[in-house]
């Protein structure tokens, strides 16, 4: 990046809010994928006006600009793969408004999702999206990737809560999209077009989200199943009559990994787990939980555990939480793939993964959001072992093909970023892909905003 | 339309599936606005392939194509304002699939919304969007306009249920968007871009919608309030703690119109009505209804009526249903405007409307979805009286300005079409409008698909 550009950037954000020192660049070069691409500079703008000025400069120069929240993304969305400027949005971290009467909040993109959830909870309100990273990920990143979480099975994903946005376009123009009312159908839905666009169409500088009443009560069950088929068929039956707010599963391999680390004993014939929760008003939850318990008790299950206190609920969640730490005792690296299949086809996918693991001599376990078929497939490996590294790559490719064959989709909540860009043509027909590329070109003709993301590049193999 | 074009269209759809006779054209010239624009021809294509062939022809010729469902739209979305071909989608009327296990349905655009609701109800499933026209409107039109309805306060609008689409683009290209899984974030959200685009970006030929379990029980209340302020403040309090599936209101004028036509007596001091319903499992609903009743009983209300049977529920709804028929005994014509304000500001809007009515010597009443601030403002007039016609037009303009001043939006569920196109700049900043126009131009460079809709045309007054 030219000296002259650096000077101009310094004039926009102030000398102290721009860095080019290698140590600091390093801190903004990686994300949840573990991959590293150092930028040429990192700017810490104070507000929308500074971001707009930066984009005008970048578009004229031109140089790449990569917006960044907490860097917790799992597919490389915030990585400066083409160098250029990282736009760190950490100073735009204010909750601007919580409107209790109309049940909405307006936040800046750097607000940590968990902070928003806590702030509105104090007013009896609930912001449901709950990505696993909610204690450190940011609202801007959540909107950019359309983050989900366990509660999506009942409450939906980020897209379902974003009412409106303020966005700086690649040429520096500032637009406002959407509404601050419960409904609105005026013109094209730019709000949802930006949501999930992975920072490639504009930089989100304000977010208006809708809120709902905080559910006062919650009851949790841990259901030990004989196998994944029994677990999945329970999921289908449960969802036909109940509206759980959590419906997570662990497969046989995951269970094997954590079996000795749990604060409770598993039944010997337990080969799959379901973690099941209902929430709402205290009275209604008691009725729902009783109905669920009755339903479960009629099934031939190895065990049903019901949490009666917060501590007991924590113990049940321990199974899910123990998986990742335990897995790293097997191998030093984990490749985690977020895929979705129609939930009735979960058993087929899990069996496919077991065969895949055997074929490549790898440990692969799955867990995730059984209620919406959103499965996290985790491949354990030692990256310094070329055979394992190659096997993991081949296995991931085979997994994606199987997901599409089962009527699924390549990502439920992590996005495409760089890690899945080459596989996009597996899912999207060429005409859809051309439409998306046309939209990118319309918004960003000079391809300066987060280049190299989503779309397959020249480096992709010809036949995925 | 040239003889040669007509022949080519006949070759695509078959001679019997194209009409140019004036009597038949008349049947496809109007919609719920009562305005009439006869097309040059009407085609009844059988499938996606025929629609694609028609679009290729239209794009090359070029001539305008206007997709049409049931013609029940309220803002002119299906009117052929520039002539050309009306594409009647009535033959694409099959429910292609109901997948109970994965809780989704795939339908063609000509399926009547109520038919889908009935078909899935038989399987214990629920498609929540419930526009007032659900007995005759079509799914294609619902997606094109992003239809809502009373249940939106709990369940959301059409956008919240559309998972994926098949769309014929203006040049005849067929694309598939979205997923058939509960989650999906692959590439840009074309599904929601088409939803609410009022038939201007593509012709929807297949729709995949998600379904939820059918709520087994429902309880209804009619709450008589002293005035609109009391009603609105109740709405805010109710929504802070409960999740009703209906929260409708009638204002003082509407109540005055129907007072003598109700199957029950209103308290003399009753000046606003709330119609309130909760649904869900029988047990949970009983608890919710009891809690609501207790809450309402503590308020100083003229009367609270609780329906204990289906017949009693019908009687409560009679108040809401009686308004339109009763209004036409006052004046022969009604202009109905669909607007939204933050729900805490409903009283301000209702008082503004009362002043507006007095100023113009018109009867204007409001009712609608109090829970989401989505208000239907009804101006009664005799269009043959030039003074009333001019007054109604001025009143509508003033209404839109006030809605924007209150932080609202010009449409909650009816769209912009032709009736509000001139007012769009009141709500959208020039940069947003330019982005939307750019998107239209990208999808439809020859402006052949439903031209003259959404965007302000040269005929709009300079300063709205």
């Amino acid at each position: 990046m030219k000296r002259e550009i650096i000077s101009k950037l310094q004039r926009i954000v102030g000398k102290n809010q721009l860095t080019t020192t290698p140590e600091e660049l390093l801190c903004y070069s990686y994300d949840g994928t573990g991959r590293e691409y150092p930028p040429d500079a990192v700017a810490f703008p104070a507000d929308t006006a500074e971001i707009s000025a930066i984009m005008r400069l970048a578009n004229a120069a031109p140089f790449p600009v990569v917006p960044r929240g907490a860097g917790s993304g799992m597919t490389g969305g915030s990585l400066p793969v083409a160098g250029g400027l990282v736009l760190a949005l950490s100073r735009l971290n204010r909750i601007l408004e919580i409107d209790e009467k109309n049940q909405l909040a307006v936040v800046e993109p750097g607000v940590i999702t968990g902070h928003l959830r806590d702030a509105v909870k104090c007013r009896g309100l609930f912001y449901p999206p709950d990505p696993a990273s909610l204690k450190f990920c940011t609202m801007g990143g959540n909107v950019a990737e359309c983050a989900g979480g366990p509660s999506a099975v009942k409450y939906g994903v980020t897209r379902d809560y974003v009412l409106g946005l303020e966005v700086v376009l690649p040429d520096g123009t500032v637009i406002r999209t959407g509404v601050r009312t419960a409904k609105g159908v005026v013109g094209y839905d730019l709000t949802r077009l930006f949501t999930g666009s992975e920072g490639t169409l504009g930089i989100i500088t304000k977010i208006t989200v809708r809120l709902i009443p905080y559910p006062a009560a919650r009851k949790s069950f841990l259901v030990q199943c004989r196998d994944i088929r029994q677990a999945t068929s329970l999921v289908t039956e449960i969802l036909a009559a109940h509206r759980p707010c959590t419906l997570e599963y662990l497969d046989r391999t995951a269970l094997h990994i954590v079996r000795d680390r749990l604060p409770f004993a598993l039944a010997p014939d337990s080969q799959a787990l379901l973690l099941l929760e209902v929430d709402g008003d205290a009275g209604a939850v008691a009725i729902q939980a009783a109905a669920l318990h009755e339903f479960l008790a009629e099934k031939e299950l190895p065990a049903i555990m019901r949490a009666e206190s917060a501590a007991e609920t924590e113990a049940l969640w321990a199974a899910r939480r123990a998986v990742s730490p335990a897995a790293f005792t097997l191998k030093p690296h984990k490749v985690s793939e977020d895929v979705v299949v129609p939930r009735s086809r979960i058993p087929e996918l899990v069996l496919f993964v077991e065969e895949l693991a055997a074929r490549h001599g790898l440990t692969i376990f799955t867990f995730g959001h059984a209620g919406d078929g959103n499965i996290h497939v985790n491949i354990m490996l030692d990256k310094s072992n070329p055979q394992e590294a190659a096997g993991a790559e081949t296995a991931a490719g085979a997994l994606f093909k199987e997901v599409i064959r089962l009527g699924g989709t390549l990502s439920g909540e992590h996005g495409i970023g760089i890690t899945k860009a080459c596989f996009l043509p597996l899912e999207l027909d060429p005409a859809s892909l051309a439409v998306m590329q046309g939209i990118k070109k319309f918004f960003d003709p000079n391809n300066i905003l987060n280049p190299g993301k989503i779309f397959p590049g020249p480096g992709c193999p010809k036949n995925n």
Side-chain angles (χ1 to χ4, degrees), chain A:
Chain A
M1 193 168 267
K2 284 183 203 154
R3 188 68 236 142
E4 182 200 333
I5 297 285
I6 297 290
S7 303
K8 283 184 179 171
L9 286 170
Q10 283 175 332
R11 278 203 291 279
I12 294 170
V13 293
K15 266 206 159 161
N16 296 332
Q17 304 298 343
L18 189 94
T19 182
T20 55
T21 67
E23 313 83 67
E24 292 199 280
L25 295 185
L26 188 68
C27 297
Y28 294 87
S29 68
Y30 66 90
D31 73 350
T33 60
R35 304 193 194 189
E36 275 178 38
Y37 295 88
D40 299 316
V42 182
F44 302 87
D47 56 26
T48 304
E50 289 185 5
I51 294 170
S52 170
I54 290 171
M55 294 314 297
R56 281 196 302 274
L57 179 65
N59 201 38
F63 59 84
V65 176
V66 182
R68 181 183 178 91
S72 57
M74 301 295 287
T75 55
S78 64
L79 296 180
V81 293
L85 180 73
V86 160
L87 208 64
L89 296 164
S90 44
R91 292 173 69 203
L92 283 80
N93 64 350
R94 291 173 303 166
I95 296 176
L96 298 170
E97 185 186 348
I98 298 173
D99 179 342
E100 286 176 57
K101 282 192 177 173
N102 294 300
Q103 296 180 327
L104 59 86
V106 184
V107 302
E108 291 183 324
V111 167
I112 289 169
T113 306
H115 291 180
L116 174 64
R117 285 168 59 101
D118 292 344
V120 304
K121 186 180 169 180
C122 298
R123 321 267 189 113
L125 292 168
F126 187 39
Y127 176 71
D130 55 352
S133 52
L134 67 85
K135 285 185 184 159
F136 46 92
C137 67
T138 62
M139 287 295 295
N142 283 192
V143 176
E145 301 294 330
C146 191
S151 78
V153 66
K154 177 172 178 179
Y155 292 109
V157 295
T158 303
R159 168 199 303 133
D160 301 307
Y161 292 87
V162 181
L163 293 175
L165 299 170
E166 180 187 82
V167 180
V168 179
L169 299 181
D171 69 356
T173 307
V174 181
I175 66 169
R176 268 155 297 272
T177 75
V179 291
R180 48 176 291 144
T181 49
K183 277 181 181 169
V185 284
V186 170
Y188 301 142
D189 192 346
L190 300 182
T191 306
R192 275 97 195 167
L193 183 60
F194 286 111
T195 303
S197 68
E198 309 199 35
T200 64
L201 299 180
I203 294 168
I204 295 163
T205 48
K206 282 198 187 76
I207 304 162
T208 304
V209 293
R210 75 182 180 94
L211 306 168
I212 59 175
Y214 193 84
R218 176 181 285 242
K219 290 276 179 197
S220 308
F221 293 88
L222 195 80
V223 184
Q224 301 183 24
C225 305
R226 284 196 309 278
D227 55 28
I228 191 72
R229 282 199 189 281
Q230 186 182 40
T232 305
S233 103
L234 273 185
V235 165
T236 303
E237 284 189 75
I238 289 166
L239 288 172
H242 303 273
R243 302 218 64 193
C245 63
T246 303
L247 195 34
E248 300 288 294
Y249 88 100
L250 261 66
D251 77 1
R252 174 163 70 171
T253 311
L255 213 50
H256 180 71
I257 293 173
V258 295
R259 197 172 275 266
D260 300 332
R261 297 174 160 241
L262 297 177
F264 50 85
L266 287 173
D269 57 341
S270 179
Q271 296 289 323
L273 276 193
L274 285 181
L275 181 61
L276 177 59
E277 297 185 312
V278 288
D279 69 355
D281 293 334
V285 164
I287 289 186
Q288 282 183 72
L292 261 174
H293 208 160
E294 195 176 331
F295 164 81
L296 293 168
E298 284 171 11
K299 306 286 160 189
E300 284 179 31
L301 291 162
I304 306 163
M305 302 168 67
R306 180 171 172 171
E308 298 295 343
S309 67
E312 285 176 24
T313 302
E314 270 309 293
L316 299 193
W317 274 95
R320 166 81 196 256
R321 295 218 180 93
V323 179
S324 285
F328 284 112
T329 62
L330 301 177
K331 292 282 176 181
H333 303 116
K334 186 176 79 169
V335 173
S336 187
E337 300 292 0
D338 157 59
V339 296
V340 193
V341 292
R343 60 176 173 256
S344 64
R345 311 202 76 168
I346 292 176
E348 286 165 85
L349 191 74
V350 170
L351 295 179
F352 176 85
V353 166
E354 288 182 0
E355 284 165 25
L356 204 59
R359 196 187 316 154
H360 293 283
L362 293 164
T363 297
I364 312 182
F365 62 95
T366 76
F367 63 85
H369 317 307
D372 40 38
N374 189 185
I375 293 174
H376 299 314
V377 178
N378 301 276
I379 308 174
M380 301 309 301
L381 75 159
D382 181 345
K383 285 183 180 172
S384 68
N385 176 332
Q387 201 186 335
E388 287 190 4
E393 208 175 306
T394 311
L399 169 72
F400 295 148
K401 277 183 196 153
E402 180 68 3
V403 162
I404 298 301
R405 195 187 70 78
L406 293 172
T409 181
L410 295 178
S411 178
E413 51 189 22
H414 294 175
I416 297 301
I418 56 171
T419 63
K420 289 179 179 169
C422 289
F423 297 97
L424 209 61
L426 280 181
E427 178 163 345
L428 300 183
D429 55 72
S432 295
L433 199 51
V435 167
M436 291 184 190
Q437 285 171 314
I439 289 174
K440 168 67 177 171
K441 195 160 185 182
F442 165 67
F443 276 92
D444 185 16
N446 299 322
N447 195 27
I448 56 157
L449 188 58
N450 211 4
K453 308 299 166 70
I454 301 179
F455 301 108
C460 290
K462 279 279 167 255
N463 291 305
N464 256 320

